[in-house]
């Protein structure tokens, strides 16, 4: 049964009913109005707080974007520098490998030349020993020849002396015969 179809026993009862209904409705309206006012105040405060948070977040977002851009620039710069360093290192490695190959080739040539020189040195030492042995032998022969020459010279001188004596004696004899 709705309020409009309700039957009352007296007018006072109806007035009292409508008065109570009015009071309850008025109280409910006041409660709803109070809740609405509180909600509106809370909403306004919340809206202000959200706007402030939004501004703070936008500021932070702007800072983060700037930081991101800076980090992105630094990263790009780092990548460029890293690529340059890698290129330089690759060139250095290539140069060092080339130098290493050249040094290795030179070392092998030097080692080969060293062996050749050692063999040549051994050959020269052998020849030196042979020459020294020949020299010793020739020195011995020379000394023997000198001794023989000295003896022959001594004999020659003795022979000359004797020949002179003989010539002198013969001259004397010839002179003695001629006289």
């Amino acid at each position: 049964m709705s309020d409009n179809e309700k039957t009352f026993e007296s007018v006072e009862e109806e007035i009292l009913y409508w008065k109570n209904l009015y009071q309850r409705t008025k109280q409910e309206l006041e409660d709803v109005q109070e809740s609405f006012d509180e909600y509106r105040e809370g909403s306004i405060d919340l809206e202000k707080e959200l706007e402030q948070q939004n501004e703070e977040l936008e500021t932070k977002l702007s800072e983060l974007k700037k930081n991101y851009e800076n980090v992105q620039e630094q990263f790009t710069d780092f990548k460029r520098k890293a690529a340059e360093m890698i290129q330089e290192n690759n060139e250095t490695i290539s140069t060092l490998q080339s130098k290493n190959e050249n040094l290795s080739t030179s070392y092998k040539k030097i080692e080969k030349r060293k062996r050749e020189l050692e063999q040549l040195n051994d050959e020269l030492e052998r020849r030196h020993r042979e020459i020294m042995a020949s020299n010793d032998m020739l020195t011995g022969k020379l000394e023997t020849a000198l001794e023989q020459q000295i003896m022959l010279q001594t004999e020659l001188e003795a022979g000359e002396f004797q020949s002179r004596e003989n010539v002198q004696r013969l001259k004397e004899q010839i002179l003695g015969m001629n006289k």
Side-chain angles (χ1 to χ4, degrees), residues 2-49:
S2 70
D3 289 333
N4 290 340
E5 296 176 4
K6 197 169 182 167
T7 54
F8 299 101
E9 292 182 17
S10 70
V11 172
E12 287 149 5
E13 184 182 336
E14 187 178 354
I15 291 174
L16 184 64
Y17 172 77
W18 288 111
K19 212 181 199 184
N20 284 337
L21 182 61
Y22 170 77
Q23 291 296 330
R24 278 193 317 240
T25 306
K26 183 180 174 188
Q27 186 61 43
E28 285 177 9
L29 180 63
E30 287 174 1
D31 289 345
V32 167
Q33 184 66 41
E34 186 179 328
S35 291
F36 178 72
D37 290 343
E38 287 176 6
Y39 173 76
R40 190 176 352 167
E41 287 176 19
S43 292
I44 290 171
D45 290 343
L46 183 60
E47 185 179 359
K48 287 178 183 175
E49 191 177 312

Side-chain angles (χ1 to χ4, degrees), residues 170-179:
L170 285 173
K171 276 185 188 179
E172 287 174 6
Q173 283 175 2
I174 291 178
L175 278 177
M177 280 193 207
N178 284 339
K179 283 194 192 188

Side-chain angles (χ1 to χ4, degrees), residues 9 12 38 45 47 50 59 67 121-122 160:
E9 292 182 17
E12 287 149 5
E38 287 176 6
D45 290 343
E47 185 179 359
L50 288 174
T59 303
N67 286 343
N121 188 45
D122 291 344
E160 271 182 24

Side-chain angles (χ1 to χ4, degrees), residues 84-96:
E84 288 173 2
M85 288 176 70
I86 288 170
Q87 180 64 30
E88 288 174 10
N89 286 342
N90 286 341
E91 289 172 2
T92 301
I93 288 170
S94 177
T95 301
L96 289 175

Side-chain angles (χ1 to χ4, degrees), residues 61-158:
L61 180 62
S62 175
E63 289 174 4
L64 287 174
K65 283 181 180 179
K66 286 179 185 176
N67 286 343
Y68 175 77
E69 289 171 2
N70 287 338
V71 168
Q72 190 68 26
E73 286 176 18
Q74 290 174 354
F75 179 71
T76 302
D77 190 46
F78 173 76
K79 278 176 44 179
R80 182 185 53 76
K81 287 180 181 177
E84 288 173 2
M85 288 176 70
I86 288 170
Q87 180 64 30
E88 288 174 10
N89 286 342
N90 286 341
E91 289 172 2
T92 301
I93 288 170
S94 177
T95 301
L96 289 175
Q97 285 176 336
S98 177
K99 285 182 180 179
N100 186 38
E101 289 172 5
N102 290 341
L103 286 173
S104 180
T105 303
S106 295
Y107 179 76
K108 288 176 183 175
K109 287 179 182 177
I110 289 170
E111 282 294 312
K112 182 180 178 187
R113 182 69 179 140
K114 178 184 167 190
R115 282 190 298 277
E116 289 171 355
L117 288 174
E118 285 174 347
Q119 290 172 350
L120 182 60
N121 188 45
D122 291 344
E123 179 66 23
L124 289 174
E125 286 178 351
R126 184 186 60 74
R127 285 185 186 169
H128 180 260
R129 285 190 301 274
E130 288 174 357
I131 290 171
M132 291 306 287
S134 293
N135 186 36
D136 289 344
M137 184 180 72
L138 290 174
T139 302
K141 287 182 179 180
L142 180 63
E143 287 175 1
T144 303
L146 284 174
E147 286 174 4
Q148 286 176 354
Q149 182 183 1
I150 290 172
M151 285 176 22
L152 288 173
Q153 181 121 11
T154 305
E155 287 176 11
L156 182 65
E157 286 175 0

